[in-house]
Amino acid sequence: MSERQTAIPDAAAASDLARTPLYELHLAHGARMVGFAGYAMPVQYSSGIISEHLHTRAQAGLFDVSHMGQAILAAPKAACRLERLVPGDIETLAPGRMLYTQLLDAQGHILDDLMVTRLPDEGGCQRLFLVVNAATKKADFAHLAAELPGCDLKILEDHALLALQGPMAADVLSRHLPSAAAEGILAMPFMSATRLVWNGINLTLSRSGYTGEDGFEISLSAAAAQAFAQKLLAETFVRAIGLGARDSLRLEAGLCLYGHDIDRTIGPVEAGLLWSISKRRREQGGFFGYEHIKRAIEQGPTRRRAGFLLEGKAPAREGADIATLKGKLIGRLTSGGFAPSLGRPVAMGYVDAASAVPGTQVSLMVRGNPLAAKIVPMPFVPHHYFRGA
């Protein structure tokens, strides 16, 4: 999610926004709609963001993420060819497995972050399922088409994307699938994917998400999305969740938000994303910006992304300056807000590398007033991904 949420002021403004296949369902459930990345999206429902957040942590929340970009890249050597644009280890990705990586520019800055899933080969072609951010999808797909001539890039404009997140997600989803398929998804580990048929509709289902919880993302035809969502929402444990709680969940999980925590001025090393670059790719390179990233690995970046735990109840938001207790400016916040699971505010931002030490006391400057905080390791709330039995 890379653009600010803006409330829809009137019908005329709303008519300029695109709608996902679940637009009418959101209205039927009492959503407050906002403009986000060019789409009319639900920011919250009647119970409110904190209630939605805590419900997802305890049971299961259903998110509409259909505004994000979906595409299938196919070519005889699609994995090898995509590796020129991203630092992720695509060639060794087995069918049914997925990874998180970044599209990079020549300076090693992040054009976007994305999920890549290896699908079974078909017709002599390797096939990769890509999910990119909503606000950058047009630029991403143009970049892919320009840099990978001869590859078939099929943009799935007629598809929806749902995310079912929370500790009850696997049990809930399995109840709506044939027994053999249900057993299969219960055993799927985090970052794996499969394709299923539900009531004659093809589903591409991955055990993934962006909340820090166990859960699934489900890609399916736009025409079938509302019926599928209604089936899930009929479950006692499932509630519709808006963008507000999605943002607070990912912040607690310490996950980057494109356009805020990462962008075209930031590289993977300073962002704390080195874990997403395998040893083979760090050594062999062969991707955009490799020399810059290699230098950052060897010499260390000049700044680093860090997490902040605030001492009081007042939150600090994106853009707030970060200062030492003596008043020296050392960085700026990129995300911040109230963490419902902790009952206190948290934040993340970039500071001088020498200052990025857990336990360091700092001041976050809000309207000229210092808020006491300290640097802490992330995530703020432990991840609960299912790694396998």
Side-chain angles (χ1 to χ4, degrees):
M1 300 189 295
S2 59
E3 291 186 353
R4 291 183 181 280
Q5 302 161 8
T6 54
I8 298 173
D10 51 43
S15 66
D16 293 333
L17 296 168
R19 297 178 178 183
T20 74
L22 298 187
Y23 177 82
E24 297 296 337
L25 185 144
H26 297 316
L27 297 183
H29 280 75
R32 183 166 77 85
M33 306 298 286
V34 299
F36 182 83
Y39 284 81
M41 298 295 293
V43 67
Q44 67 175 82
Y45 297 85
S46 58
S47 61
I49 292 173
I50 291 177
S51 175
E52 292 172 24
H53 179 114
L54 295 176
H55 180 88
T56 303
R57 288 271 185 250
Q59 299 187 52
L62 183 66
F63 302 77
D64 179 12
V65 286
S66 303
H67 56 313
M68 301 186 76
Q70 302 180 68
I72 294 177
L73 182 72
K77 295 183 178 179
C80 176
R81 299 192 64 183
L82 182 60
E83 281 198 347
R84 193 169 67 87
L85 311 186
V86 303
D89 199 339
I90 312 296
E91 277 209 85
T92 64
L93 198 61
R97 300 296 296 183
M98 59 193 299
L99 57 72
Y100 167 85
T101 190
Q102 308 88 35
L103 285 169
L104 300 177
D105 67 12
Q107 287 71 47
H109 295 144
I110 302 172
L111 300 175
D112 195 11
D113 57 345
L114 69 158
M115 302 297 293
V116 181
T117 301
R118 180 76 180 266
L119 302 175
D121 294 354
E122 191 172 276
C125 289
Q126 296 176 342
R127 297 186 305 143
L128 302 167
F129 175 49
L130 313 178
V131 178
V132 303
N133 281 296
T136 52
K137 61 185 180 183
K138 289 184 179 178
D140 290 349
F141 293 147
H143 177 65
L144 288 163
E147 295 293 339
L148 301 174
C151 289
D152 179 25
L153 182 67
K154 182 181 180 182
I155 301 171
L156 304 179
E157 294 179 335
D158 58 347
H159 275 55
L161 188 65
L162 309 180
L164 184 66
Q165 299 283 293
M168 301 295 293
D171 287 341
V172 167
L173 191 58
S174 67
R175 286 199 284 271
H176 294 275
L177 299 173
S179 57
E183 290 179 11
I185 69 156
L186 288 172
M188 285 173 59
F190 182 57
M191 299 301 275
S192 64
T194 189
R195 306 192 89 172
L196 301 171
V197 177
W198 172 79
N199 286 350
I201 305 299
N202 293 319
L203 309 179
T204 299
L205 188 149
S206 64
R207 199 155 198 168
S208 64
Y210 219 61
T211 62
E213 292 297 325
D214 182 26
F216 298 83
E217 291 195 349
I218 306 116
S219 174
L220 72 171
S221 72
Q226 184 158 315
F228 188 76
Q230 286 175 327
K231 284 283 187 184
L232 297 177
L233 288 171
E235 292 274 353
T236 303
F237 302 112
V238 180
R239 283 169 48 182
I241 310 295
L243 294 180
R246 185 169 184 258
D247 191 46
S248 57
L249 288 159
R250 74 88 199 165
L251 176 58
E252 283 188 348
L255 300 172
C256 293
L257 179 64
Y258 193 82
H260 299 259
D261 309 300
I262 50 176
D263 59 27
R264 290 170 175 251
T265 69
I266 296 170
V269 180
E270 58 192 325
L273 301 175
L274 187 57
W275 59 267
S276 67
I277 307 176
S278 70
K279 180 180 179 183
R280 176 180 74 85
R281 302 246 48 212
R282 294 182 201 183
E283 292 177 350
Q284 296 181 2
F287 54 85
F288 283 1
Y290 172 62
E291 292 301 327
H292 295 269
I293 290 176
K294 181 182 178 184
R295 189 179 310 117
I297 294 172
E298 292 173 348
Q299 300 178 3
T302 58
R303 58 179 178 172
R304 291 187 183 276
R305 183 168 62 96
F308 302 88
L309 194 62
L310 282 75
E311 294 184 3
K313 292 292 184 182
R317 307 290 184 184
E318 178 185 0
D321 286 331
I322 306 165
T324 67
L325 296 185
K326 293 183 178 179
K328 178 186 177 184
L329 294 181
I330 56 172
R332 187 178 65 83
L333 291 188
T334 52
S335 287
F338 186 72
S341 303
L342 303 176
R344 60 190 300 178
V346 298
M348 67 170 73
Y350 286 84
V351 295
D352 298 341
S355 302
V357 179
T360 301
Q361 301 287 332
V362 298
S363 296
L364 306 182
M365 305 305 295
V366 178
R367 300 186 186 91
N369 298 313
L371 299 182
K374 66 177 178 180
I375 295 177
V376 297
M378 292 187 283
F380 299 104
V381 173
H383 295 162
H384 296 105
Y385 304 135
F386 179 72
R387 304 287 183 180

